Amino acid sequence: MPERKIRVMVAKPGLDGHDRGARVLARYFRDAGFEVVYTGCHQTPEQIASAAIQEDVDLVGLSCLSGAHRALFPKVVQLLREKGASDITVIGGGIIPEQDFPMLYEAGIKAIFTPGASLDSIVEWIKTNIKPH
Amino acid sequence: MDSLVKKICAGDVRLASRLIRDIEDKLPEAKAKIKKLYAYTGKSFIIGITGAPGAGKSTLTDALIAALRKKNKTVGVLAVDPTSPFTGGAILGDRIRMQRHAEDAGVFVRSLATRGALGGLSHAAGDAIHVMEAMGKDIIIVETVGIGQQEIDIINHAHSVVVVLVPGMGDEIQTMKAGLMEIADVFVVNKANRPGTNQLQTELASMLNLASKNGKGWQPPIVMVGDAFEPGAFAEKIAELERKIEEHHKYLIESGKLTERMHRKAMAEINDALSACLLEPVIQKLASTGELDSFAEKIKSRKADPYTVAEEIAKNYFIRQDKK
């Protein structure tokens, strides 16, 4: 029987140009058998939400090392909701202080991975929590 | 009109992208939906962009989108990247070059993974084009996966094919070879600020000279595109490229070649649909009953050869049913 392939998008919102982590993840997701859309750096939340819909991804992984996650991550979730795409899961990663976790979860970010999180744990999370549309 | 058809024809990106995914994943419903949609397709002009990995296809596509948007044309883009033969995963990175158009409602960019297709596209490409046609896109740009000499399925889908070359990839014998060098309606020599540019231009020109039939018919032009980081000069070259593509489109219409190409496309579509409708169910059935494995075992141990096996399967599935 035909099987749904998991499609994910890895995106870097805001002015942060440090994408080594995002690239390593994109590559690891590829090796996990996902189709990975990578958008590159310096994306606005609007660009990310719109690209996620055009690509029909199941999950958007946001990476931010600049400290702007409090503004940018919730904005992506909000835009997806406004565009009728609240079924697209948003997770985040990067330099994110623990005290910001509750605020991000509250805003609809489903998981947060910080330095030290293993690649396998992220793939496991996706495989467990994401059912392709 | 069916409600899905109505919504897609009205430009619903969410539904369109989902339908493309259903096609990619070969869901049985997808075929039924395309059947309903088909009557509303076939009105867009389709440009193919092909060439080696890293030749600059995505950057040229991005620049073409910008040029077409200035003329108020709506644009659909299908960008193909390779699937891993080992894990089935893929990095779809063509979008990176096109993200400045992400918020433009007149542009719909959809990435496709090859998923084992060998012709430079994906099995879903043909129907994905149909979905974008139904959405009413004026122009659809199909960017192939990075290709070599022979992955030229794009000619069955595009009206005008742009072949992107870069200097430094071999001697003049390369330009004599069949396949890729024959399918161009427009050549781009990209990165034409690099060493070897003049040589490539001369070789191409002399190849085209040999190919031309008394100067009649379409002569593929060569557009020399230099450094993308010199915005002014680059934009001029892109305008020239867009003009040449448009001239080719006009030529196709005026010469009657367009109908010829549409016929070739229709033949290819029958071919694909027939193989999907005859072969795939048989393979699936054989796989589910375990027969496929036992045939493979027989071939492996040299108790049978693949031709006899294929004839036996054909006898069971096609010829016998035919007689009934």
Side-chain angles (χ1 to χ4, degrees):
Chain A
M1 267 322 274
E3 207 178 287
R4 272 286 196 220
K5 177 93 68 179
I6 294 182
R7 280 173 77 86
V8 305
M9 200 170 92
V10 176
K12 283 195 66 73
L15 296 175
D16 164 23
H18 301 86
D19 65 344
R20 177 67 57 87
R23 288 186 191 199
V24 168
L25 264 180
R27 169 63 204 276
Y28 206 73
F29 289 161
R30 185 202 89 180
D31 291 344
F34 306 156
E35 287 185 354
V36 189
V37 180
Y38 182 54
T39 63
C41 301
H42 308 135
Q43 302 292 301
T44 64
E46 285 80 4
Q47 284 176 313
I48 293 170
S50 157
I53 289 171
Q54 290 182 24
E55 295 290 353
D56 194 30
V57 293
D58 304 302
L59 172 119
V60 176
L62 298 171
S63 156
C64 184
L65 314 183
S66 71
H69 52 270
R70 287 173 62 94
L72 297 170
F73 287 9
K75 183 80 182 165
V76 173
V77 178
Q78 181 205 330
L79 286 165
L80 284 172
R81 279 181 189 153
E82 282 170 17
K83 290 168 188 277
S86 49
D87 54 330
I88 299 177
T89 303
V90 180
I91 63 174
I95 313 291
I96 297 167
E98 231 163 81
Q99 63 260 37
D100 289 347
F101 283 21
M103 177 265 180
L104 293 172
Y105 287 137
E106 179 77 11
I109 308 294
K110 290 285 186 266
I112 299 161
F113 298 92
T114 51
S118 77
L119 293 165
D120 284 325
S121 69
I122 305 172
V123 166
E124 251 339 283
W125 190 93
I126 294 175
K127 285 186 171 163
T128 316
N129 292 284
I130 298 298
K131 284 206 172 64
H133 297 323
Chain B
M1 207 193 277
D2 178 88
S3 84
L4 175 98
V5 172
K6 208 181 215 165
K7 282 181 186 155
I8 287 182
C9 289
D12 189 319
V13 172
R14 194 100 225 266
L15 281 178
S17 189
R18 180 63 49 83
L19 177 53
I20 291 173
R21 188 169 181 187
D22 291 349
I23 299 159
E24 290 187 279
D25 289 336
K26 296 190 175 168
L27 300 196
E29 316 80 279
K31 212 190 279 178
K33 289 175 186 168
I34 290 292
K35 282 186 196 170
K36 285 185 198 154
L37 211 57
Y38 201 84
Y40 305 93
T41 65
K43 292 186 190 75
S44 311
F45 176 55
I46 301 161
I47 302 169
I49 310 269
T50 192
K57 297 181 294 298
S58 303
T59 302
L60 288 171
T61 303
D62 167 69
L64 270 178
I65 299 171
L68 291 164
R69 289 301 290 148
K70 271 194 194 135
K71 296 189 166 176
N72 279 325
K73 305 271 189 201
T74 54
V75 185
V77 177
L78 289 166
V80 188
D81 263 330
T83 295
S84 162
F86 303 113
T87 66
I91 296 279
L92 307 172
D94 293 325
R95 257 202 110 84
I96 297 176
R97 309 274 179 243
M98 308 171 203
Q99 268 302 83
R100 64 171 158 150
H101 305 293
E103 288 176 68
D104 180 350
V107 180
F108 175 23
V109 178
R110 179 63 158 74
S111 312
L112 298 172
T114 55
R115 300 207 186 176
L118 297 175
L121 293 172
S122 130
H123 294 300
D127 281 337
I129 291 171
H130 293 324
V131 173
M132 288 191 170
E133 286 176 327
M135 292 172 85
K137 299 295 173 204
D138 297 319
I139 313 269
I140 298 168
I141 303 177
V142 182
E143 181 192 333
T144 72
V145 71
I147 61 142
Q149 295 176 313
Q150 182 71 82
E151 302 94 315
I152 54 171
D153 278 1
I154 187 67
I155 60 169
N156 291 327
H157 297 280
H159 299 124
S160 297
V161 175
V162 178
V163 170
V164 185
L165 303 172
V166 285
M169 301 277 283
D171 66 8
E172 69 269 26
I173 304 299
Q174 296 306 327
T175 61
M176 291 163 58
K177 290 185 179 170
L180 178 67
M181 301 304 286
E182 297 174 285
I183 65 162
D185 299 308
V186 178
F187 277 106
V188 169
V189 172
N190 203 21
K191 312 189 189 188
N193 49 332
R194 295 201 173 173
T197 298
N198 290 344
Q199 194 193 339
L200 175 57
Q201 188 179 11
T202 315
E203 286 161 9
L204 263 183
S206 86
M207 181 274 282
L208 291 170
N209 202 20
L210 277 175
S212 80
K213 297 175 185 86
N214 314 321
K216 281 182 201 148
W218 176 256
Q219 306 291 317
I222 307 169
V223 183
M224 310 294 294
V225 180
D227 196 340
F229 293 104
E230 284 177 24
F234 183 68
E236 259 171 51
K237 286 300 181 180
I238 295 303
E240 182 186 340
L241 172 61
E242 202 238 321
R243 230 171 21 244
K244 296 294 178 195
I245 295 170
E246 210 179 293
E247 280 168 26
H248 181 251
H249 189 202
K250 250 189 220 136
Y251 163 79
L252 286 178
I253 295 167
E254 284 161 11
S255 66
K257 294 266 183 216
L258 190 64
T259 27
E260 252 175 58
R261 290 205 177 186
M262 300 307 279
H263 193 81
R264 183 170 70 192
K265 186 170 168 152
M267 300 278 265
E269 285 188 58
I270 296 173
N271 197 34
D272 288 349
L274 199 57
S275 123
C277 138
L278 287 179
L279 210 50
E280 276 170 26
V282 174
I283 300 274
Q284 264 174 26
K285 176 98 190 288
L286 290 173
S288 69
T289 58
E291 281 174 280
L292 202 57
D293 279 328
S294 63
F295 281 132
E297 285 301 329
K298 277 188 195 163
I299 292 171
K300 207 161 66 182
S301 61
R302 298 295 182 273
K303 285 190 183 116
D305 62 273
Y307 297 106
T308 311
V309 166
E311 277 161 17
E312 199 178 312
I313 294 168
K315 220 183 277 168
N316 281 335
Y317 280 89
F318 301 118
I319 301 167
R320 194 180 56 193
Q321 286 175 10
D322 208 39
K323 278 181 186 160
K324 276 180 193 169

